[in-house]
Amino acid sequence: MNTAPDPAAARHRWLTDEEQRIWRAYLHATTLLEDHLDRQLQRDAGMPHIYYGLLVGLAEAPRRRLRMTELAMKAKITRSRLSHAIARLEKNGWVHREDCPSDKRGQFAVLTDAGHEVLRRTAPGHVTAVRQALFDRLSPEQQKALGEIMEIVAEGLQPNEAGADLPWLR
Amino acid sequence: MNTAPDPAAARHRWLTDEEQRIWRAYLHATTLLEDHLDRQLQRDAGMPHIYYGLLVGLAEAPRRRLRMTELAMKAKITRSRLSHAIARLEKNGWVHREDCPSDKRGQFAVLTDAGHEVLRRTAPGHVTAVRQALFDRLSPEQQKALGEIMEIVAEGLQPNEAGADLPWLR
DNA sequence: CGTGACTTGTTCAAGTTTCAAGGAGCTGCC
DNA sequence: GGCAGCTCCTTGAAACTTGAACAAGTCACG
């Protein structure tokens, strides 16, 4: 179950007003930004943000291909979700699957030329959107701080961390 | 393949390596955190994070009720999405709808006692999860910086901002 | 009053994500 | 070899989200 009787920690310490303010700002900003980028990419590239990220992941990989599990890990999504997503991208002609010769269970997702072309065409607009929403509004110090903070948070939730769950292994 | 001070590409300035690192850390951390909290609440409270946020929104409102549009704005979601969500929460018995006497088009979403009870029971665990994932890992300075950064970003995407889109008015 | 523009909330259909289950291949061990 | 236990990926159904379209109510203004 959940938080079993654990005498050690101050289990039920509430958030202070200040913490609450920060937490709400976080939720507020992240949902707005995600919505914003999702809409931007849906409009300009015909796919949600996460799908775009998959194409980027493939574009960066050697020979523009990655095993399904690797891509899932890179994108931090479950393999199930990836399976559906690649099916859709395949239908769009932006990705195709290829059998792995060395492991017959394995599949490669491979970025097609059409997929690469979509990226080439839409990446500038996307970068601009990110820049306008985020980097253009923050001082260099704030950018640096943001990077550090996010690295800490990510590290703490890293799946190989003790007690963390393993979304893509389920 | 990114930081080319290419005059032709100057129109859409690429992200520098450092910016890219920050941006990836951001994406990485926010998706992990969202997944983590979604899973925590699904497990302990039987609903996704956003639905939980709706109950919290109602609990904070006078008389534990809010007009649909107000609640949608508060939660930063479309009215359509809210309509579905409230239908589900109503099925759970945690919310019920009430007609607005002064505007016959209007509906109030009202938190029921059962809904309040769910919050009472699950809030501590949720707060703990947020604390462990976020606040416990950041220095006071980092917390402060995070709050400021997120406020700036949110403000920039605020729907009443010029040129921004209005998700909940669509 | 009455008419047109707008608001409120819902609904429908299409798309996406999750969860549980399962087929198939790999691996180690007897 | 044979078999248990694992990994890789997919599937199908249910839950959730989206965007467009809609009925009903309100409002401003002639």
Side-chain angles (χ1 to χ4, degrees), chain A residues 72 77-85 168 170:
Chain A
I77 62 177
T78 61
R79 283 179 309 195
S80 170
R81 185 176 176 184
L82 179 63
S83 223
H84 290 295
W168 44 79
R170 288 181 312 156

Side-chain angles (χ1 to χ4, degrees), chain B residues 67-69 80 83 97 105 107:
Chain B
R67 286 287 294 271
M68 295 295 277
T69 296
S80 169
S83 223
R97 290 185 222 237
R105 296 166 304 180
Q107 290 278 102

Side-chain angles (χ1 to χ4, degrees), chain B residues 29-99:
Chain B
T30 53
T31 58
L32 285 178
L33 183 48
E34 199 182 296
D35 282 6
H36 181 66
L37 294 181
D38 254 349
R39 211 164 298 115
Q40 183 264 318
L41 281 171
Q42 190 67 58
R43 176 165 49 73
D44 299 346
M47 66 190 125
H49 192 193
I50 187 100
Y51 285 38
Y52 180 88
L54 296 176
L55 297 190
V56 171
L58 292 178
E60 286 171 345
R63 305 191 57 218
R64 291 185 188 164
R65 75 193 52 215
L66 238 30
R67 286 287 294 271
M68 295 295 277
T69 296
E70 291 179 282
L71 184 51
M73 287 195 302
K74 190 161 180 164
K76 272 94 198 163
I77 61 178
T78 60
R79 286 182 314 213
S80 169
R81 187 175 175 184
L82 179 63
S83 223
H84 291 294
I86 292 295
R88 198 273 223 185
L89 292 173
E90 206 169 16
K91 209 170 291 180
N92 282 275
W94 297 334
V95 164
H96 78 102
R97 290 185 222 237
E98 228 170 80
D99 291 342

Side-chain angles (χ1 to χ4, degrees), chain B:
Chain B
M1 79 175 210
N2 56 4
T3 52
D6 170 11
R11 213 174 350 90
H12 50 259
R13 220 159 86 255
W14 246 184
L15 294 186
T16 65
D17 286 350
E18 177 62 4
E19 285 168 334
Q20 205 155 134
R21 206 179 55 72
I22 294 168
W23 178 235
R24 288 181 193 223
Y26 172 89
L27 288 178
H28 188 163
T30 53
T31 58
L32 285 178
L33 183 48
E34 199 182 296
D35 282 6
H36 181 66
L37 294 181
D38 254 349
R39 211 164 298 115
Q40 183 264 318
L41 281 171
Q42 190 67 58
R43 176 165 49 73
D44 299 346
M47 66 190 125
H49 192 193
I50 187 100
Y51 285 38
Y52 180 88
L54 296 176
L55 297 190
V56 171
L58 292 178
E60 286 171 345
R63 305 191 57 218
R64 291 185 188 164
R65 75 193 52 215
L66 238 30
R67 286 287 294 271
M68 295 295 277
T69 296
E70 291 179 282
L71 184 51
M73 287 195 302
K74 190 161 180 164
K76 272 94 198 163
I77 61 178
T78 60
R79 286 182 314 213
S80 169
R81 187 175 175 184
L82 179 63
S83 223
H84 291 294
I86 292 295
R88 198 273 223 185
L89 292 173
E90 206 169 16
K91 209 170 291 180
N92 282 275
W94 297 334
V95 164
H96 78 102
R97 290 185 222 237
E98 228 170 80
D99 291 342
C100 173
S102 63
D103 184 339
K104 284 182 189 156
R105 296 166 304 180
Q107 290 278 102
F108 282 106
V110 187
L111 187 66
T112 63
D113 288 346
H116 197 258
E117 171 58 22
V118 171
L119 277 186
R120 205 191 52 63
R121 203 183 66 236
T122 58
H126 181 58
V127 169
T128 299
V130 171
R131 203 176 259 308
Q132 288 178 347
L134 191 65
F135 291 105
D136 285 357
R137 301 183 182 274
L138 299 180
S139 71
E141 296 74 33
Q142 288 175 320
Q143 296 182 16
K144 182 160 174 290
L146 179 62
E148 288 165 2
I149 290 166
M150 289 301 156
E151 269 160 21
I152 291 170
V153 172
E155 194 185 355
L157 296 167
Q158 211 65 257
N160 52 352
E161 190 83 8
D165 27 26
L166 307 158
W168 44 79
L169 294 185
R170 289 179 309 156

Side-chain angles (χ1 to χ4, degrees), chain A residues 10-166:
Chain A
R11 260 348 233 188
H12 300 257
R13 212 159 93 257
W14 229 219
L15 294 186
T16 64
D17 286 352
E18 177 61 5
E19 286 169 335
Q20 204 154 135
R21 207 178 55 71
I22 295 168
W23 178 234
R24 287 180 194 225
Y26 173 88
L27 288 178
H28 188 165
T30 53
T31 58
L32 284 179
L33 183 47
E34 199 183 296
D35 282 6
H36 181 67
L37 294 182
D38 255 348
R39 211 164 299 113
Q40 185 264 317
L41 280 171
Q42 190 67 57
R43 176 164 48 74
D44 298 347
M47 67 190 125
H49 191 194
I50 187 101
Y51 286 36
Y52 180 88
L54 296 176
L55 297 190
V56 171
L58 292 177
E60 286 170 346
R63 304 191 56 218
R64 292 185 189 164
R65 74 192 53 214
L66 239 28
R67 286 285 293 271
M68 294 296 277
T69 296
E70 292 179 282
L71 183 51
M73 287 195 303
K74 190 161 180 164
K76 271 93 199 160
I77 62 177
T78 61
R79 283 179 309 195
S80 170
R81 185 176 176 184
L82 179 63
S83 223
H84 290 295
I86 292 294
R88 197 274 224 183
L89 292 172
E90 206 170 15
K91 209 169 290 180
N92 283 274
W94 297 333
V95 165
H96 78 101
R97 291 185 220 238
E98 229 170 78
D99 292 341
C100 173
S102 63
D103 184 339
K104 283 182 191 158
R105 297 166 303 180
Q107 289 277 104
F108 283 105
V110 187
L111 188 67
T112 63
D113 288 346
H116 197 258
E117 171 58 22
V118 171
L119 278 186
R120 206 191 52 62
R121 201 183 68 237
T122 58
H126 181 58
V127 169
T128 299
V130 171
R131 202 176 259 308
Q132 287 178 349
L134 191 66
F135 291 106
D136 285 357
R137 302 182 182 273
L138 300 180
S139 70
E141 296 74 33
Q142 288 175 320
Q143 297 182 15
K144 181 160 174 291
L146 179 62
E148 287 166 2
I149 290 166
M150 290 300 156
E151 268 160 21
I152 290 171
V153 172
E155 194 185 353
L157 295 167
Q158 212 65 258
N160 52 352
E161 190 83 6
D165 25 28
L166 307 157

